[in-house]
């Protein structure tokens, strides 16, 4: 069943202008998203970092939780900028040395 609704011409033109503004904003956001995709190509995921730095996912989580490593979470997956990972390399080495010391100390007790 078809129902017709009558509105004033001015109201129709106002709605049309609002829709055109909305459509233009959506196009602008889509274009911005294309730029974001290009930039995200330079980001790395958690698996890559764990494999490269030879750390566990839990250790990586600790760096995130402590605020030492900035990240973005997209659809439940974590991504990191390579320069942020570079900045924590000394922290990773210190963490590994501390873990070795704890193992030795625990073994000696």
């Amino acid at each position: 069943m078809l129902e017709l609704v009558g509105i004033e011409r001015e109201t129709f033109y106002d709605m049309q202008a609002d829709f055109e503004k909305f459509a233009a904003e959506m196009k602008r956001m889509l274009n911005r998203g294309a730029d974001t995709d290009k930039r995200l190509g330079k980001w790395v995921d958690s698996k890559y970092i764990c494999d490269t730095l030879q750390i566990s996912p839990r250790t990586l989580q600790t760096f995130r939780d402590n605020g030492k490593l900035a990240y973005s979470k997209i659809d439940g997956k974590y991504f990191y900028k390579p320069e942020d990972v570079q900045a924590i390399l000394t922290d990773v080495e210190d963490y590994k040395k501390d873990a070795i010391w704890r193992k030795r100390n625990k073994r000696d007790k």
Side-chain angles (χ1 to χ4, degrees), residues 16-97:
Q16 186 178 22
D18 288 344
F19 180 77
E20 288 171 2
K21 286 179 192 174
F22 174 76
E25 180 67 16
M26 290 289 100
K27 285 179 185 176
R28 187 185 68 74
M29 290 174 70
L30 284 173
N31 288 335
R32 187 179 65 193
D35 293 340
T36 301
D37 288 344
K38 290 176 189 169
R39 285 182 300 197
L40 279 178
K42 296 178 183 175
W43 289 45
V44 293
D45 66 3
S46 296
K47 180 171 178 10
Y48 177 83
I49 292 175
C50 289
D51 291 346
T52 303
L53 300 181
Q54 297 178 346
I55 59 174
S56 69
R58 180 63 184 107
T59 299
L60 185 59
Q61 180 181 343
T62 299
F63 285 116
R64 283 194 314 264
D65 292 347
N66 292 341
K68 291 187 180 252
L69 181 60
Y71 64 91
S72 289
K73 186 175 180 182
I74 302 171
D75 290 332
K77 192 171 180 179
Y78 294 96
F79 294 92
Y80 312 86
K81 291 182 181 178
E83 57 268 22
D84 292 337
V85 176
Q86 185 76 29
I88 66 158
L89 288 180
T90 55
D91 291 329
V92 170
E93 290 305 314
D94 291 345
Y95 189 86
K96 287 180 179 180
K97 288 175 187 174

Side-chain angles (χ1 to χ4, degrees), residues 1-7:
M1 181 160 141
L2 178 66
E3 291 186 38
L4 297 176
V5 177
I7 58 173

